[in-house]
């Protein structure tokens, strides 16, 4: 059975354990034929889905053509996010030191269920499920005389997404007389923007630096930026209303607007799961103390299953993970392995994980049309130094964009990602910024080397990335 690259990211060992469950829930939802393997090595998780799994996801996406199903899907997402938000409030209002170990285990189990529900719902907007719908939308609307520019306009957010809301809140904060309490409140509310950063002092210092840079622009410029965001949103709404009248009654129009709303919903789901560990830090700090670990050790070497098991049995020792582990979903069953058995499974099912192949051309999904030729900058989530070397006009190449990459996306001549589809974070923001974007290349961060001169040709029908050569400095030509 052939397995295709699906996703890669830097997440905690706690989250990796829960993402295995989220993929398992996806399999239960789309069909027993769904098969996937996820590999964790040095805190980086790489997931692969079988060709059969991709096909069963494609068949499941036929449900998106049912209006009532679409409505239920979005309503279900809202309910799951509300439950998670209620848990965050609960965690931060309890005196956790008063709970005994089994009671703390129950709270961690509740966290696990909320995380898995939200992350599982997030997987329903992956490329394998949304791309068939987008291809139908594009074919039908073009048949009615629509242009690709009109189709991409329909996919633009009609309300502020989670990243734009944070941007506006940040601009307003820069206009105000803020104190440390206001900064901490901002960080907590928008915790997904500092995903992976658990040190409050470091986060406050980073936010202060951003605010200092913004303040130097002056209040008139800050106010102008807020107005520009509102004006752009109003213009998008007006254009979408015109297009809705022009193509009124077309099923493809409704589906296009559903993909738009699904992209916004995907932001909200990511905001919830990506910020959860930071917002629920009191819970993990208390759990770490009970088993004699630091929070850093807890997030890097312990699975949620072993933590809950240790606390449930009132034990002070918890089983630590080995550096190499894997989960495997097949025939409706979930296996979680580590050490030598995990590596043997990975080498048998996904030998490509251990290989490095040099290619000259990559293909993916065009999420925002256009062309660009410039220096490639590989920006990986686990390496903050990559971000500092990014210059205006570079082409951003990453596994998947994170909300806190927004600043460098503004500088980019184009964006290329390993994963993602038409509703992904990279896709939505690239359309907003008006820059070319090719998502779902699967291997861009491995095939392209930092500093390569590359060309992006993002045609509406397909995205092509050509590696032209290696150069220490290449001028961008967007």
């Amino acid at each position: 059975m052939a397995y295709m690259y699906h996703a890669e990211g830097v997440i905690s060992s706690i989250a990796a354990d829960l993402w295995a469950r989220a993929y398992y829930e996806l399999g239960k939802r789309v069909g027993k034929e769904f098969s996937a393997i996820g590999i964790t090595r040095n805190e980086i998780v790489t997931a692969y889905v079988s060709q059969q799994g991709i096909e069963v996801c494609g068949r499941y996406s036929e449900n998106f053509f049912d209006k009532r199903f679409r409505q239920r899907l979005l309503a279900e997402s809202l309910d799951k996010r509300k439950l998670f938000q209620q848990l965050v409030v609960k965690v931060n209002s309890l005196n956790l030191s008063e709970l005994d170990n089994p009671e703390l285990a129950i709270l961690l189990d509740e966290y696990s269920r909320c995380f898995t529900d939200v992350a599982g719902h997030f997987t329903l907007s992956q490329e394998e499920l949304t791309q068939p719908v987008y291809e139908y939308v594009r074919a039908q609307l073009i048949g009615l005389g629509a242009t690709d520019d009109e189709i991409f306009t329909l996919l633009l957010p009609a309300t502020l997404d989670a990243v734009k809301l944070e941007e506006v809140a940040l601009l307003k904060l820069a206009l105000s007389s803020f104190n440390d309490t206001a900064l901490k409140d901002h960080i907590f509310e928008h915790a997904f923007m500092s995903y992976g950063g658990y040190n409050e002092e470091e986060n406050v210092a980073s936010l202060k630096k951003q605010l200092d840079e913004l303040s130097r622009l002056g209040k008139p410029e800050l106010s102008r930026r807020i107005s520009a965001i509102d004006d752009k949103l109003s213009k998008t709404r007006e254009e979408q209303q015109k297009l809705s009248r022009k193509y009124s009654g077309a099923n493809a129009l409704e589906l296009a607007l559903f993909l738009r709303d699904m992209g916004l919903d995907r932001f909200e789901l990511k905001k919830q799961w990506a910020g959860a560990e930071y917002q629920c830090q009191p819970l993990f700090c208390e759990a770490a103390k009970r088993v004699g670990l630091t929070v850093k050790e807890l997030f890097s070497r312990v699975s949620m299953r072993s933590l809950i098991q240790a606390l449930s049995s009132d034990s002070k020792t918890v089983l630590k993970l080995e550096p190499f582990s894997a989960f495997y979903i097949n025939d409706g069953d979930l296996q979680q392995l580590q050490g030598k058995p995990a590596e043997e499974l990975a080498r048998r099912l996904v030998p490509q994980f251990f290989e490095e192949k040099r290619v000259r051309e990559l293909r993916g999904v065009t999420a925002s049309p256009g062309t660009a030729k410039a220096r490639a900058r590989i920006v990986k989530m686990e390496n903050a130094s990559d971000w500092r070397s990014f210059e205006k006009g570079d082409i951003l190449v990453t596994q998947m964009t994170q909300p806190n990459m927004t600043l460098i996306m503004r500088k980019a001549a184009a964006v290329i990602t390993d994963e993602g589809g038409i509703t992904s974070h990279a896709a939505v923001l690239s359309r907003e910024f008006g820059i070319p974007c090719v998502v779902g290349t699967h291997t861009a961060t491995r095939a392209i080397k930092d500093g390569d001169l590359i060309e992006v040709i993002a045609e509406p029908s397909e995205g092509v990335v050509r590696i032209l050569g290696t150069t220490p400095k290449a001028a961008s030509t967007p």
Side-chain angles (χ1 to χ4, degrees):
M1 189 184 298
Y3 286 82
M4 312 291 289
Y5 172 92
H6 187 255
E8 185 171 84
V10 181
I11 56 177
S12 72
S13 57
I14 295 288
D17 194 21
L18 299 180
W19 270 105
R21 176 63 57 176
Y23 270 90
Y24 176 65
E25 292 300 323
L26 173 64
K28 284 171 60 178
R29 188 157 191 159
V30 301
K32 197 175 180 180
E33 303 94 328
F34 180 84
S35 182
I37 178 171
I39 302 162
T40 301
R41 183 170 63 177
N42 300 324
E43 299 181 41
I44 300 174
V45 181
T46 308
Y48 296 83
V49 175
S50 70
Q51 183 60 46
Q52 190 176 15
I54 292 171
E55 290 169 3
V56 75
C57 284
R59 291 196 295 272
Y60 183 82
S61 71
E62 294 172 7
N63 289 298
F64 293 162
F65 290 84
D66 183 326
K67 185 174 183 178
R68 286 176 295 182
F69 180 88
R70 298 196 298 267
Q71 291 171 339
R72 286 199 304 271
L73 198 69
L74 293 174
E76 187 181 329
S77 171
L78 180 60
D79 289 342
K80 289 176 178 178
R81 286 186 279 115
K82 281 182 176 177
L83 282 174
F84 211 158
Q85 289 159 11
Q86 289 168 9
L87 175 65
V88 170
V89 172
K90 180 179 176 181
V91 165
N92 285 277
S93 61
L94 286 173
N95 185 348
L96 299 174
S97 63
E98 293 181 351
L99 301 181
D100 60 27
N101 283 357
E103 288 172 331
L104 200 63
I106 290 171
L107 198 56
L108 285 164
D109 185 62
E110 187 179 348
Y111 176 95
S112 300
R113 283 183 280 109
C114 286
F115 187 104
T116 301
D117 282 347
V118 166
H121 209 87
F122 180 82
T123 63
L124 294 174
S125 55
Q126 300 279 42
E127 175 191 356
E128 295 82 5
L129 290 138
T130 57
Q131 189 61 21
V133 181
Y134 170 68
E135 290 173 358
Y136 169 85
V137 165
R138 183 171 181 270
Q140 292 298 309
L141 288 178
I142 285 178
L144 293 172
T147 65
D148 281 300
D149 282 346
E150 287 179 327
I151 295 169
F152 282 114
T153 295
L154 287 170
L155 297 176
L156 287 170
T159 57
L160 292 177
D161 58 51
V163 172
K164 283 291 182 184
L165 283 169
E166 192 275 340
E167 182 182 349
V168 171
L170 192 63
L171 289 167
K172 289 181 176 178
L173 201 57
L175 283 167
S176 68
S177 300
F178 56 83
N179 54 29
D180 278 5
T181 299
L183 298 185
K184 290 175 183 178
D185 288 344
H186 181 93
I187 292 166
F188 185 86
E189 172 62 25
H190 306 284
F192 70 107
M193 293 295 289
S194 53
Y195 184 46
Y198 304 112
N199 187 303
E200 186 176 66
E201 289 183 6
E202 290 179 5
N203 286 332
V204 168
S206 176
L207 185 56
K208 278 183 177 178
K209 184 178 178 181
Q210 287 187 59
L211 289 168
D212 286 342
E213 291 173 359
L214 287 172
S215 296
R216 284 197 288 271
L217 297 173
K219 290 188 175 182
E221 172 60 16
L222 295 175
S223 298
R224 187 200 67 77
R225 289 191 178 192
I226 294 172
S227 296
I229 292 171
D230 291 336
D231 291 345
K232 187 174 182 179
L233 200 60
S234 296
K235 184 180 178 182
T236 296
R237 288 190 190 119
E238 289 174 9
E239 290 175 348
Q240 289 183 351
Q241 287 169 1
K242 289 178 184 177
L243 292 172
S244 293
R245 290 192 292 269
K246 185 176 180 180
Y247 301 107
S248 176
N251 185 44
L253 171 66
E254 287 191 18
L255 285 166
L257 296 178
F258 164 69
L259 289 175
R260 174 200 68 184
D261 294 343
M262 201 176 197
L264 280 167
D265 187 66
R266 184 178 171 87
F267 269 93
E268 293 300 322
L269 288 162
K270 186 165 188 172
K271 177 182 178 180
Q272 198 67 60
W273 64 257
E277 288 177 350
Y278 187 88
Q279 291 181 327
C280 291
Q281 264 199 98
L283 175 61
F284 293 109
C285 287
E286 186 64 31
K289 186 167 64 175
R290 301 288 180 94
V291 293
L293 299 174
T294 65
V295 175
K296 186 176 181 180
E297 288 173 326
L298 188 75
F299 281 139
S300 61
R301 295 296 306 278
V302 175
S303 73
M304 181 64 95
R305 284 170 297 124
S306 61
L307 178 61
I308 291 175
Q309 185 177 10
L311 291 170
S312 296
S313 61
D314 221 7
S315 171
K316 290 186 178 180
T317 58
V318 62
L319 181 65
K320 292 183 181 179
L321 291 170
E322 295 187 34
F324 197 105
S325 60
F327 71 80
Y328 179 45
I329 298 164
N330 191 51
D331 199 26
D333 185 38
L334 169 64
Q335 297 179 48
Q336 290 176 278
L337 310 169
Q338 58 175 313
K340 188 176 179 179
E343 186 171 345
E344 288 175 349
L345 177 71
R347 289 190 179 279
R348 178 166 59 85
L349 296 181
V350 283
Q352 65 268 35
F353 174 80
F354 302 92
E355 299 168 357
E356 187 172 331
K357 292 183 178 180
R358 189 71 163 145
V359 297
R360 288 293 169 186
E361 186 171 286
L362 302 169
R363 295 180 183 273
V365 176
T366 291
S368 181
T371 60
K373 185 190 292 184
R375 177 181 62 171
R377 274 301 182 206
I378 311 298
V379 177
K380 295 195 174 182
M381 293 171 283
E382 66 269 24
N383 194 350
S385 63
D386 295 340
W387 303 34
R388 291 191 288 272
S389 63
F390 197 92
E391 296 179 6
K392 186 173 177 62
D394 288 342
I395 293 177
L396 172 60
V397 183
T398 186
Q399 300 110 321
M400 63 174 178
T401 59
Q402 295 295 326
N404 51 2
M405 287 185 187
T406 304
L407 291 176
I408 59 174
M409 285 184 72
R410 289 184 181 282
K411 300 179 184 178
V415 176
I416 304 165
T417 67
D418 288 342
E419 59 184 275
I422 202 71
T423 61
S424 66
H425 174 264
V428 173
L429 285 195
S430 294
R431 289 193 290 268
E432 289 187 38
F433 296 157
I435 57 175
C437 177
V438 178
V439 297
T441 63
H442 297 170
T443 58
T445 57
R446 296 187 184 191
I448 299 170
K449 301 302 180 185
D450 196 61
D452 277 354
L453 176 63
I454 63 173
E455 183 178 24
V456 177
I457 305 170
E459 299 286 350
S461 57
E462 185 180 43
V464 177
V465 179
R466 295 195 178 112
I467 304 170
L468 304 177
T470 302
T471 174
K473 179 79 176 179
S476 66
T477 53

